[in-house]
């Protein structure tokens, strides 16, 4: 099987769909390194004009110090030497994708692996941006029963939305995924379903590895080994990743959601749920009041996303330079730090 070491791997999906579990499975592969969620990729891209023309080494240094020096970026969680990364970015290609790629490549190198990736559920809204930065990237979309995602989101201490927002988030993830599948094609976009993944990890991960151009690594089926080393105990919402893969949480929405929440979710998401083989309970039809409130929330979210897209298109006209990654080009293959 031909490996594809230069193609980044991005894990996407609705929040609470199992993306952390999948990230740990991929990180368990002998050739793939994917860290826990970082906080510098999208903010750096959004602020790219403020860093100026990256063909100026001073501007690359400013970007590198912004990535490595701010607590908000979670760079410190990667276990990399800030000074070394700064110098590597300064010596690297003068594009945003190259600078960001250097950080993830260094993380993979630290773990003795040739391929790198990143995971953040909300990336499903930003695939266009990720493709600008890394045109050859591969995307793995993990899909879980929307009712289970809603039930789980409601219980998260960090979640500030409500049932209406949670239902909207799953619908958005599915609709974005359908567009990505059409535009990217089977070489760059791949879907997994959480329920199948936890029921038969070996078979599902073997299929994923074929998509990635990698040999299947049996260690991927035991992500709890990596989780015990990398998932901090304070993240109690990830505590189950420290145990063996199980189907215990499949259809847990049946006792975690109120009847009105089930009815609303099935009314709004019904055709999408059925398309992925999820059976409806037939809980009943939600009231017009619930449907109207959901419609307002969904419209508000669409407007926010539309404004983001418009702002980004405007900025693209004023970019100080190209953004696509140029790592791998001979003139930029500087020796890695000792």
């Amino acid at each position: 099987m031909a490996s594809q070491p230069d193609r980044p791997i991005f894990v996407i999906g609705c929040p609470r769909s199992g993306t952390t579990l999948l990230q740990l499975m991929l990180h368990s592969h002998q050739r793939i390194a994917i860290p826990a969620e970082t906080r510098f990729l999208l903010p750096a891209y959004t602020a790219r004009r403020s860093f100026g023309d990256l063909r100026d080494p001073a501007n690359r240094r400013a970007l590198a110090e912004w990535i490595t020096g701010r607590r908000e970026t979670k760079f410190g969680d990667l276990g990399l030497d800030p000074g070394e990364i700064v110098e590597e970015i300064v010596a690297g290609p003068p594009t945003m994708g190259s600078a960001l790629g250097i950080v993830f490549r260094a993380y993979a190198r630290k773990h003795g692996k040739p391929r790198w990736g990143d995971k953040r559920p909300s990336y499903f809204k930003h695939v266009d941006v990720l493709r600008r930065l890394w045109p050859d990237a591969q995307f793995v979309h993990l899909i879980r029963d929307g009712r289970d995602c809603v039930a789980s989101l409601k219980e998260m201490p960090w979640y500030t939305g409500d049932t209406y927002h949670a239902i909207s988030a799953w619908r958005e993830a599915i609709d974005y995924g359908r567009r990505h599948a059409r535009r990217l094609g089977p070489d760059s976009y791949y879907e997994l379903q959480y329920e199948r993944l936890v029921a038969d990890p070996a078979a599902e991960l073997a299929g994923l590895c074929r998509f990635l151009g990698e040999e299947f690594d049996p260690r991927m089926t035991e992500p709890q080994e990596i989780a015990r080393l990398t998932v901090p105990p304070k993240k109690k919402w990830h505590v189950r990743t420290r145990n063996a893969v199980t189907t215990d949480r499949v259809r847990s929405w049946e006792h975690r959601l109120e009847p009105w929440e089930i009815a609303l979710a099935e009314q709004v998401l019904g055709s999408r749920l059925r398309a992925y083989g999820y059976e409806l309970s037939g809980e009943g039809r939600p009231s017009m009041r619930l449907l109207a409130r959901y419609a307002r929330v969904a419209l508000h979210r669409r407007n926010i996303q539309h404004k983001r897209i418009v702002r980004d298109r405007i900025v693209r006209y004023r970019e100080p330079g190209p953004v696509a990654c140029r790592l791998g080009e001979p003139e930029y293959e500087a020796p890695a730090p000792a």
Side-chain angles (χ1 to χ4, degrees):
M1 183 179 297
S3 179
Q4 305 179 72
D6 295 327
R7 301 190 70 181
I9 303 164
F10 290 98
V11 176
I12 62 177
C14 179
R16 301 305 295 169
S17 58
T19 55
T20 296
L21 174 66
L22 182 55
Q23 172 252 320
L24 292 166
M25 288 173 162
L26 285 165
H27 191 63
S28 299
H29 193 284
Q30 62 181 339
R31 290 177 45 82
I32 300 171
I34 300 184
E37 291 183 28
T38 58
R39 288 289 188 273
F40 56 80
L41 195 161
L42 291 177
Y45 173 82
T46 301
R48 61 196 181 281
R49 285 183 61 198
S50 67
F51 296 110
D53 189 341
L54 294 182
R55 286 172 291 192
D56 183 339
N59 291 339
R60 295 203 296 279
R61 184 173 297 277
L63 169 61
E65 291 176 347
W66 181 92
I67 293 171
T68 61
R70 298 172 69 249
R71 186 175 182 180
E72 295 88 344
T73 66
K74 294 196 174 183
F75 174 85
D77 294 348
L78 299 178
L80 302 174
D81 183 275
E84 289 183 356
I85 296 301
V86 168
E87 296 307 319
E88 195 171 347
I89 290 175
V90 172
T95 70
M96 179 63 71
S98 304
L100 297 170
I102 282 170
V103 180
F104 291 106
R105 186 178 66 174
Y107 179 80
R109 187 171 63 226
K110 174 177 179 285
H111 290 274
K113 301 179 179 184
R115 289 192 77 175
W116 64 266
D118 193 17
K119 185 276 289 189
R120 192 171 180 183
S122 64
Y123 282 163
F124 73 79
K125 301 177 184 178
H126 304 276
V127 167
D128 60 328
V129 167
L130 298 176
R131 289 271 291 180
R132 291 199 74 211
L133 295 166
W134 298 282
D136 60 347
Q138 291 183 291
F139 297 88
V140 183
H141 185 180
L142 185 60
I143 294 171
R144 184 184 185 187
D145 188 323
R147 295 161 295 187
D148 274 328
C149 289
V150 171
S152 187
L153 271 171
K154 286 177 50 191
E155 298 170 357
M156 293 300 102
W158 44 261
Y159 187 63
T160 58
D162 55 19
T163 298
Y164 305 95
H165 282 275
I167 292 174
S168 293
W170 192 82
R171 180 174 178 171
E172 292 163 3
I174 296 301
D175 291 349
Y176 270 95
R178 289 173 171 175
R179 290 197 288 271
H180 300 329
R182 291 193 301 269
R183 294 172 181 172
L184 302 182
D187 180 59
S188 297
Y189 177 83
Y190 188 84
E191 286 185 352
L192 280 172
Q193 283 186 249
Y194 170 85
E195 293 79 10
R196 295 179 181 177
L197 179 63
V198 296
D200 192 351
E204 294 300 310
L205 291 169
L208 173 58
C209 286
R210 285 192 293 273
F211 162 73
L212 296 174
E214 300 287 350
E215 296 289 341
F216 170 63
D217 187 337
R219 286 173 291 190
M220 299 174 74
T221 64
E222 298 182 351
Q224 68 271 19
E225 302 301 325
I226 290 290
R228 290 166 186 163
L229 298 174
T230 62
V231 177
K234 66 180 181 180
K235 292 189 175 181
K236 298 185 184 302
W237 52 92
H238 290 326
V239 66
R240 291 183 179 83
T241 62
R242 301 165 72 92
N243 301 322
V245 177
T246 176
T247 60
D248 287 353
R249 302 297 276 182
V250 173
R251 294 186 66 89
S252 62
W253 58 267
E254 293 176 317
H255 61 266
R256 297 163 74 191
L257 292 180
E258 298 293 331
W260 72 266
E261 294 173 310
I262 297 173
L264 180 60
E266 292 186 350
Q267 177 67 28
V268 172
L269 308 176
S271 62
R272 295 166 179 80
L273 290 168
R274 286 192 295 267
Y276 286 95
Y278 300 120
E279 295 182 3
L280 304 188
S281 69
E283 182 62 44
R285 185 174 178 82
S287 69
M288 294 303 296
R289 179 182 61 82
L290 294 177
L291 289 170
R293 183 170 178 183
Y294 168 80
R296 289 194 297 271
V297 168
L299 177 61
H300 174 69
R301 292 172 64 95
R302 283 197 299 272
N303 287 339
I304 291 175
Q305 183 66 1
H306 177 70
K307 289 177 182 178
R308 180 197 70 80
I309 293 171
V310 170
R311 284 195 301 268
D312 183 59
R313 287 176 178 170
I314 292 172
V315 173
R316 291 185 191 193
Y317 286 111
R318 305 172 182 172
E319 286 175 340
V323 300
C325 180
R326 295 174 61 187
L327 294 176
E329 295 182 6
E331 62 266 38
Y332 295 114
E333 282 304 292

